[in-house]
Amino acid sequence: MASHEQSPLLQVVRVAPPRQRYSHSTIRRFCTIALFSTLVALVVLFFLPLELLRGSHEHHGRLSDYFPWTSPYPHEVWPQSQGLTYKDLQEVLLTTPKEEKAREWSHYYTAGPHLAGKNLSQAIWTKERWQEFGVQQSSIVTYDIYVNYPLGHRLALLEKSGKSKEALAERDVVEEASKTDYKVKYECSMEEDVLKEDGTSGLGNRIPTFHGYSASGNVTAQYVYVNFGTYEDFEDLIKANVSLTGKIAFAKYGRIFRGLKVKRAQELGMVGVVLYTDPQEDGNVTEANGYKTYPDGPARNPSSVQRGSTQFLSIAPGDPTTPGYPSRPGAPRQDPHHSIPSIPSVPISYLDALPILKSLNGYGLNAADFNKYWQGGGLGYKGVDYNIGPSPPELVLNLVNEQEYVTTPMWNVIGIINGTLPDEVVVLGNHRDAWIAGGAGDPNSGSAAMNEVVRSFGVALSKGWKPLRTIVLASWDGEEYGLLGSTEWVEEYIPWLSKAAIAYVNVDVGTSGPSFGSSASPLLNKALYEATSLVQSPNQTVKGQTVRDVWNGHVATMGSGSDFTAFQDFAGIPSVNLGFGPTRESAVYQYHSNYDSFDWMDTYGDKDWHYHIAITKLWALLAANLVESPVVQFNATDYADGLERYLKSVEDKARKSSSVEMQDVSFSALEKAIAELRSVAVDFDARAAVLASSIGDNMPWWGWWKKVNLYYEVRRVNDKYKYFERQFLYQTGLDGRSWFKHVVFAPGIWTGYAGATFPGLVESLDAGNQTNIEPEMIESFNVPKPEVAKWAGITSAVFALSQCLTGIAWGRASDRFGRKPIILTSMFCTMLASLCFGFSPNLWLAIASRSFAGASNGNVGIMRTTVAELVPQKELQSKAFSVMPLIWTIGSIFGPAFGGALASPAKTHPKLFGNNAFLKKYPYALPNMVTGVFFLFGLTIGWLFLVESLETRKHRRDWGRTVGKFLVRTVKGIFKKKRRRPEWIKEYDDEQGSSLLKHRHSSSASTVKENKREDRHYTPPQPPPGYREVFSRQSNINLVVYTFLALHSMACDQLLPIFMHNPPQNHGSTNIDVHLPFKFAGGFGLDSERIGLLFTIYGIAGMLIQFLAFPPLARHYGVLRCLKWCSLTFPLIYITLPFTALLPTPLTQQLGVLVVMLFKCWCSIFAFPCTTILLTNSAVSLRVLGTLNGVATSVSAVGRAAGPAIGGGTFSWGVKRGYVILPWWTIAFLSALGAIPVFWLVEMDGFGGGEASDSEDEDEIEDDDAGPGRGLPAPHDEAATTATDVLVGDDLLPESQVVATEESAGLAVEDGPPLPRARVSKTEREDGGDRLAPR
């Protein structure tokens, strides 16, 4: 029946027979299991391999790359070459280049002038040829660059005669005579001979002889022969007292870059420079040896002139008005004179130099009077004696140099052959511009070879080849002036190059002789040797010899002077420079003269053009190796071996230094780092070799994911190789030449062409700079160099350990014998320890002295105890406890500077102490002796005026203070007549004092005075307090807080300078060792001077905070609340601090870290005195306070020793693994851990004001021996009470709620914790206060 409102729970349920079950249930069950199992198998099949992979996602591609139907490889046939096999590609590159083609290209480039900024037609022609060869993606990139072009010049030898000579002989000054009195003795032609055998030597538009970036000027002066004009040559002249100021330097080309000759002359006050090429530089092929001169023979033509740039190449290449950024239109321009001369210079031939040099014969010293580097001049057979001069006043040079400076376009031709890996690029480059119409050797032998390389790659492209890596081809403009085109291009594309560039292969002078040579980053040595082994040598002595067979295998270090400089030294891209050059027996290469011509090349340089083809094949095969090898053909072990050799040369230089300090410099840390690098490099190269051999292995189809894993493993290895060189970049740059970023390779600061290895070290040695050298005193004990750091650490640790062991003993002694005698004893012991340390003749006595000093330094805790007892009022504690840290901060700023200035005075101040045998024997005695004088002064002041604050000892007679008061009264009596107080004032004070004493004392003033005087003569000896009294619960918590505070604060202070000095790191996406925000290892790369500046600001800020901010804020908010806020802030500071290294610019980094340092300074300045105050007030009695502070000194010493050890260890471990945040976050964790017990602290009441008042009143009694208010502050005192308020303990209580002290209640309390205080009602107080009521 149906449900309704009367039967709502009734429901009709229809009953039916069950439904028939599925007849094939077994099949359905089987299908279900099979399908589910298949699904599980697919999951395992596709996703399990991903779990077996190592590394990060970015090194393993996308998830879909591991599906069997996808291909993550750069092309289908990887690891084989695409389109052509590698062997077929090598065959194309070996057979395509032809001598006739190279000759054709050379003839075009050398047919007319192509000075930088004046060769647009050649740039267009080069681009069109490359496009014809198959490199369709070729274009011209333009930069607007500041350069000079010649307008006019003159060099004349002028001579006086007759009366003028006599006048000059008297005055000896050229400028005092009129230039019209001179006559021309010799006028230099300043031009090369026109030769009918040399077609371009007589072109009407040939380029005059001049210097790039030389200054305009017209100077007339005496001249001095300065040999090669090297830095050492000028030093030799200075030592020989040769006058240089106001003179013209006459120098030979050679040995160093010409611009640095001009730079040094300019620095020494010379007014001009003349340069000529001496046959001395031509080897054996000279006219003096019977060879005919060009064009009749291979010797140098006497009229040939070497042009060239006088830019200060070792300071900064590129456009001098845009250092570090590209010279695009609209770019801001700077004063160029930081890297170009301000005095004029001209080049001349040795034909023009002869009369000038001969005119010096007989004047001044002779080159033979100097060292071997002055010998060997090649014009002796022409009558030149090589006298130095100066020329006499009647014989002068008139040097005129007129230059036009303009900003003009320059054109780089850039061609691109896209590879299948867009983020791996190999760059090939040669420059196109020349100083002359010719330039068959420099640079167009390289230009001809480059065209053949491009043509060979074009043939390979036409056969279907597509390179694995992208190839960039560059024909640079402006190289001759100062590497202009390449430098500006690198400066513009540095972000892309830093991410993608594998290597740069440069050919400048492809051939000028038969001898192969190269300079390279050691990473490329392996690839270079392999390439030279594949090319037949043109000068075989045995049939079938390769270039490698006839080459000595020496790879020079990278210097400068060609277009690899910006790649290697600025961008950190491994580079190599190749070329064939002359020998001492081959035809003289007429460098940068009109005779570096097509005709010279066709006749003497490479008459069969075989060397042009050899360099073409070498260049192409080396590039192909770098482009096509699946694993980049680098070798990190060679780099580590190179670093060992480079460091050995630096060590040899240090040992040969004339400075004893430089001879003793230790490189042990660097040796250790290089050894560690070599160990890692060997393993990495072995891993790369295994990968390279595994690539060719056939893998079964079911192991497809292994091949994918192998491919990404190769990518990881290649990334490591690619970024390896970049790790040696120091973004701040070398000192004095910040454009150069590489710490291993740079041009020598006074060589230019030649490479300097470890340039920062070499320049520091040359300058006598001992920054970052080990503690000198430890070194003076003849400790082996590798052990210096260890023993310096031990010496410092011994101090902290000894302080820890003796801190409690000093505290307990002060509780028994008094504060003052223990403080003075400790100071005296510290003075003795300091003197012993200064006079230590060996390491063991120095360590013992430091241990003695640490053991004596327990007086720190006693001083805190004394402060607490002298100033028990809580409202005054913040100011009192801020004084000691303030003085400590001042000492930490001036102390090191003071000690450093006085250490080794015989060396640092030879004029004052150089002849003092005592100070030579004990070089570190003087600062410690002066320190001893300060100690004696402090001991004297303490004995005379320091008040004993220990309750059981302070009433005894103190003979020191008695003498002190006598001296004070005596001095006052001398300078000021003593004034007597009027009798009526004394009577008034007696009346007021009596009325006050009625409320607080049952005894009269005279009774109090008698009792106190009795106390002076007898105080029963008190046993030392037990440890149960010392270690109350609150004291224990305070000690834990104090230990953690010392630990993390000292760890931070020790790590900060290390972190600041740690080299910066490239944080961009190009650095595979960086994974922001957490994985990075760089610091700021600051030098010690900048770090010192930041810490000086830090110290000054600390003093201001300590003196101005801490006392009022601590009084207002309470020390416990201040400590809590500081404890919570410390972890945030440490977590934030390492991220300041990620700020974008050095300035923002330094500002950022300074702000964090100031926060840390604020918290430290507040936390330490707050902890000290809380610890002091937690003591249950004054008699245990000395012991308690001794324990605090010991535990803080443990924290100060453990903190730096933890910080230093985690810093080294973290930086090695790329996590510079590790030490800072470890310190943050420790500070957070130390913050927990802060919230268990309770701010105790302390010891109140009565005792302090008594002590002060006692002084009044002793000093004045009068005055009725002897138990309380007098009414006129600063701490006086009013009619309604009385100061008791820590609080100002209203008159109706006055606390009675134990003394006012008539209780004689000698020791033990304070008794419970009682409240006295107003009525009771007026009646005498005999009844006590509980508070």
Side-chain angles (χ1 to χ4, degrees), residues 160 164 167-178 182 222 393-394 396:
K160 287 275 187 179
S164 298
L168 283 171
E170 294 176 2
R171 289 190 292 264
D172 198 34
V173 178
V174 173
E175 289 73 12
E176 293 183 10
S178 171
Y182 286 98
Q222 297 165 264
E394 65 269 18
V396 297

Side-chain angles (χ1 to χ4, degrees), residues 195-209:
L195 308 175
K196 64 179 181 180
E197 296 88 353
D198 194 309
T200 56
S201 65
L203 291 176
N205 60 346
R206 63 186 182 275
I207 300 170
T209 58

Side-chain angles (χ1 to χ4, degrees), residues 1114-1125:
R1115 275 199 309 270
H1116 185 272
Y1117 293 104
V1119 290
L1120 181 58
R1121 184 178 297 176
C1122 290
L1123 180 61
K1124 287 179 179 180
W1125 279 110

Side-chain angles (χ1 to χ4, degrees), residues 91-109:
E91 185 66 23
V92 169
L93 300 179
L94 285 170
T95 58
T96 300
K98 301 297 181 185
E99 283 81 357
E100 58 271 19
K101 282 293 184 183
R103 190 176 187 275
E104 177 184 344
W105 310 137
S106 178
H107 189 271
Y108 169 77
Y109 282 116

Side-chain angles (χ1 to χ4, degrees), residues 279 287-288 293 302 350-351 354 358 361 378-385:
E287 189 179 29
T293 60
Y350 79 73
L351 185 65
L354 279 170
K358 286 180 180 180
N361 287 351
L379 294 176
Y381 78 105
K382 295 282 190 181
V384 176
D385 293 341

Side-chain angles (χ1 to χ4, degrees), residues 233-256:
D233 289 339
F234 280 112
E235 290 300 296
D236 291 339
L237 293 173
I238 293 171
K239 291 175 184 176
N241 294 318
V242 176
S243 174
L244 299 176
T245 304
K247 309 297 191 295
I248 293 174
F250 200 88
K252 296 182 287 191
Y253 273 118
R255 295 191 180 168
I256 68 171

Side-chain angles (χ1 to χ4, degrees), residues 513-529:
S515 177
F516 177 74
S518 71
S519 59
S521 165
L523 282 176
L524 287 159
N525 288 357
K526 175 183 174 183
L528 182 59
Y529 291 140

